[in-house]
Structure formats: structure tokens, C-alpha cells
Amino acid sequence: MKFVKINILIAFVLIFNSCTHKTGNQSSKEMNPVNTLFAQYYDELMRLTPIEATRHGDNRYNDQLPIDISESFRDTLKLFYQKYLDSLNTYDRTKLNEQDGISYDILKWDLQMALDGLKFSDNLVPINQFWSLTITFGQLGSGESIQPFKTVKDYDDFLKRAGAFTVWCDTAIVNMKRGMAAGFVNPKILMERVLPQLQSMVVTDATQSIFYQPIKKLPADFSFSEKNRLDNLYKKAISEQLIPAYKKLYDFIKDEYIPVCRTAAGIGDLPGGKEYYSYLIKFWTTTDMTADEIFALGQHEVERLRKEMEKIKDETGYKGDLKSFFTFLNTDKKFFPFHAPKEVLDSFENIHSVMMPQLSKLFDAAPKTKFEIR
């Protein structure tokens, strides 16, 4: 759910600000009890959103996958957001220092926006071609994303998440059927683009599944019996849980959902769509601008930026038009200093080596997860 993801970012901003702001030898966390609230909010949010916890190196909940599109989960979120909004309102904003005041304002705005977002039934359209758990889960299970596969427990954790994923898929179908009955459905053209995504996950041989990739890279220090156990369990989970779940979704969307999807693309055509669109404008821009005002601003910016690009083109002495100038920039060899992938990685590693010694001078808190360049 989009507002949950934004809340994760807000939570990290709050905790980071609270831990890094200092007065003398004391941190603001020690001086102001509002920081306790920020810390509690972060910790409970991680428990409610275990995939996001995994994303940020908090491995306490790697085996969990809540059915975040269910009505019961949305009810839990509503109580969670309201609880922290009520708690936040008990603090006198005028008595907070500048940094804590900023954190207060951010959290209050975010909590209210999250509560407002729950008034709309976006859980009735849980799958689209850009972001949904059907895409994210394949990334998690590939072994190349945020889900760790380093210990036996790591492998067992993902198996537990795989079991919950099938429940999520069944809930998605139930929700989409509810959406069909209410006329709250995605555009047909977009859902047609979902089909190949789902179909790519349906294979006849479990060892060819993206979810089998971690088994191909089992750590050498695993015992033979553990390797054999995990190999069998992963083949079973892929064949009996994951592939059937994706196949069921594919068949439902192809045969039942797409035939009743709307031909119009705009959100405004949904029940309550105009109000939902206005909410999304505020959510993504954090302004009270109207759609027409944003469009006018965009046109003005396009004109301004084009003039800037024309100016740069002329300053370089290039004689062609702007389109050919872009082609020149994208094709001339002098603009391509790298000749091999390793050179790109080495260049970023050099930046990293220069940056690292400075971080401790600027920040008191550091991420627990090791930084990687891939």
C-alpha cells in the first residue's frame, strides 16, 4: 500500500533526526520525550510492515508477510495511525526545539494523510503493472534483492513467507471480485500488461523458477542434510504453492477480470474517483494545488528547461538542433569513459572510499546494514 511505504520513509527521517541532533553532549533523544514516541512509532511500524523492515536491514520479521490488502489489516492500520496521531497531539508543538518540531510536523501530516487514504478502496485493485506484491515477491525470492539468504534460518524464513503469499493471492482475487461488483477496477490496457508478468512465474520445472535461484547458491558451510532438506522444501513450495498461486491469478485476471475492466484510463472514472484523484495529488505533491495548476506549472517548467538546454547547446558551439544534440551526447565516444562493467563499479567504489571517512563527522547514527555496490 503506497501510504505505508511513504510512512516507512517518514519513520526513518524521524528516527534519524532524533538521533543525530545534538545540544552540547546530549542528544535530543535524551532531552525530549517526544523522541520516545518517534522510536515507538518506528518499531511498531516495522512490526506491521515486515517487508519494509527487511528492506532496511531489520531482520526480526523476515518470516512474516501480512495480508496488507485485507479489511482486517486496514482496520489495524487505522487504529495504529489514530493512536499515534492522538499521542502526538498531547505534545505542545511550541515547546519543541527546531529539529523535533520539524519531525513533529512531518509525522502529524503523514499520519493524517494515511488515515485519509484509508477512506478509499485501493485494496480492491491490488495488482497493477507497476507495483504489487506479485512483482515484489519474485524479487524477494530471487536471492538478488533484500531478502537475505545467508543462513539456514534465512532460507526457512522465506519458506514461511511463501506460505503466506498464497493467502495474499487468494485475498487479491476476492478483493478484485468485490471491485468488479462495485465498478472499482483497473483499466483493461494496463491489466493486459500484467498477464505476461504473471505468466513468466508459471514454469513446469521448479528448478527453473526464480524462487529456486537461492538453492543454486546454497552457502558451502551448510551441511549435506540441510542442503538436501532445503532443496526438497523449496521444490515442494514452488510446485505446490507459488506456481499454483501465480497460475490462479493469471487465469482469473485473463478470464474473469479483464473482460469487465474499464476502457477509460483515468482514476476519475472510478466510483469516488475525483475525490481519490484529489487525495493522490496532495499525497504525492504535499501541496494543495489543483490538477490544472500542476499541469500549468509543468508546461511552464518544460518551456523553462528547454530554453536552458538550448542555451547550453549554443554555449558548446554545437550547430544542429536540440534533437540532434541529444543524439550527439548519447553516441559520441568521448562521453563514455567506461569500457567494461567493472570500471563502472570501481568508479563508484572510489567515490565510496572517499565518502566513508567523512560520514562519522556528519552523522551520529549509521545504518546497520552494510553498504553494497552492485
Side-chain angles (χ1 to χ4, degrees):
M1 302 172 75
K2 57 187 175 302
F3 46 81
V4 173
K5 294 181 184 298
I6 299 299
N7 280 339
I8 301 297
L9 175 60
I10 297 299
F12 274 91
V13 170
L14 295 174
I15 297 302
F16 185 75
N17 284 346
S18 300
C19 292
T20 58
H21 181 71
K22 284 188 175 182
T23 303
N25 294 322
Q26 286 184 303
S27 70
S28 61
K29 183 176 181 180
E30 296 169 328
M31 296 178 65
N32 199 317
V34 72
N35 289 285
T36 300
L37 180 69
F38 297 155
Q40 291 172 343
Y41 171 71
Y42 163 79
D43 196 59
E44 191 169 348
L45 188 60
M46 291 298 96
R47 181 174 59 80
L48 284 171
T49 57
I51 288 182
E52 296 303 328
T54 300
R55 191 183 307 280
H56 292 95
D58 184 343
N59 295 324
R60 291 176 293 171
Y61 313 110
N62 285 354
D63 61 337
Q64 298 178 29
L65 183 72
I67 312 305
D68 59 358
I69 56 175
S70 69
E71 293 301 329
S72 61
F73 186 82
R74 287 163 65 89
D75 289 342
T76 297
L77 282 180
K78 184 177 181 180
L79 292 173
F80 167 70
Y81 293 136
Q82 191 63 59
K83 177 182 72 173
Y84 278 97
L85 183 58
D86 292 343
S87 296
L88 195 66
N89 285 331
T90 64
Y91 291 88
D92 186 344
R93 169 69 172 79
T94 64
K95 294 182 179 180
L96 301 178
N97 62 41
E98 182 181 8
Q99 188 63 67
D100 289 338
I102 292 172
S103 295
Y104 176 100
D105 292 340
I106 292 172
L107 182 56
K108 186 171 184 177
W109 184 90
D110 192 65
L111 290 170
Q112 188 59 62
M113 287 300 294
L115 285 167
D116 290 345
L118 286 170
K119 297 174 184 177
F120 302 101
S121 301
D122 62 345
N123 62 321
L124 301 186
V125 284
I127 296 175
N128 62 60
Q129 84 285 13
F130 284 128
W131 59 67
S132 66
L133 188 60
T134 51
I135 298 172
T136 302
F137 205 71
Q139 296 169 339
L140 290 174
S142 70
E144 299 296 329
S145 183
I146 58 173
Q147 182 91 22
F149 288 93
K150 297 178 181 179
T151 68
V152 171
K153 183 180 183 303
D154 289 340
Y155 279 80
D156 286 332
D157 282 347
F158 185 74
L159 284 173
K160 293 178 183 177
R161 272 189 169 165
F165 178 71
T166 62
V167 180
W168 188 94
C169 291
D170 286 340
T171 306
I173 291 175
V174 170
N175 283 9
M176 285 188 281
K177 287 182 177 179
R178 289 172 55 205
M180 290 161 61
F184 203 100
V185 294
N186 275 323
K188 179 178 180 180
I189 190 172
L190 299 185
M191 292 309 295
E192 288 174 339
R193 295 172 183 175
V194 169
L195 291 178
Q197 296 174 346
L198 298 174
Q199 191 173 39
S200 67
M201 309 301 284
V202 181
V203 295
T204 56
D205 181 357
T207 64
Q208 299 304 309
S209 169
I210 192 172
F211 297 107
Y212 191 75
Q213 296 308 304
I215 298 298
K216 295 180 178 180
K217 300 177 182 179
L218 285 167
D221 60 351
F222 283 16
S223 68
F224 175 80
S225 61
E226 284 292 1
K227 289 180 178 179
N228 189 57
R229 179 182 71 87
L230 291 171
D231 179 71
N232 290 331
L233 287 176
Y234 269 69
K235 286 178 181 176
K236 182 179 177 65
I238 293 168
S239 298
E240 299 181 10
Q241 294 179 320
L242 296 173
I243 291 176
Y246 277 101
K247 180 67 164 58
K248 188 175 182 180
L249 276 175
Y250 175 86
D251 289 342
F252 168 75
I253 291 173
K254 176 177 177 292
D255 298 332
E256 299 183 47
Y257 192 66
I258 287 179
V260 301
C261 281
R262 55 197 171 94
T263 56
I267 288 176
D269 289 306
L270 293 171
K274 288 182 172 57
E275 294 80 5
Y276 186 36
Y277 191 73
S278 295
Y279 165 78
L280 291 175
I281 289 175
K282 186 173 183 179
F283 178 86
W284 289 112
T285 69
T286 69
T287 73
D288 292 316
M289 295 175 69
T290 67
D292 288 340
E293 289 171 337
I294 292 172
F295 181 68
L297 175 62
Q299 286 184 309
H300 177 269
E301 284 298 291
V302 169
E303 182 181 358
R304 181 184 67 81
L305 291 172
R306 185 176 183 87
K307 289 179 179 178
E308 290 291 329
M309 291 187 285
E310 291 281 4
K311 180 181 177 182
I312 292 172
K313 174 182 72 68
D314 294 342
E315 288 176 349
T316 65
Y318 187 81
K319 301 303 181 183
D321 60 16
L322 195 59
K323 183 177 180 180
S324 65
F325 183 58
F326 291 152
T327 301
F328 168 64
L329 293 176
N330 286 316
T331 57
D332 194 286
K333 291 183 179 180
K334 67 182 177 183
F335 299 119
F336 294 86
F338 304 115
H339 304 287
K342 186 176 184 304
E343 294 179 10
V344 179
L345 294 175
D346 289 345
S347 177
F348 278 102
E349 188 56 57
N350 182 59
I351 295 172
H352 183 218
S353 65
V354 174
M355 175 185 72
M356 284 302 294
Q358 312 307 318
L359 296 183
S360 61
K361 300 176 183 178
L362 299 172
F363 305 106
D364 299 312
K368 296 179 181 179
T369 307
K370 182 182 178 182
F371 183 80
E372 296 181 21
I373 297 173
R374 299 183 182 180

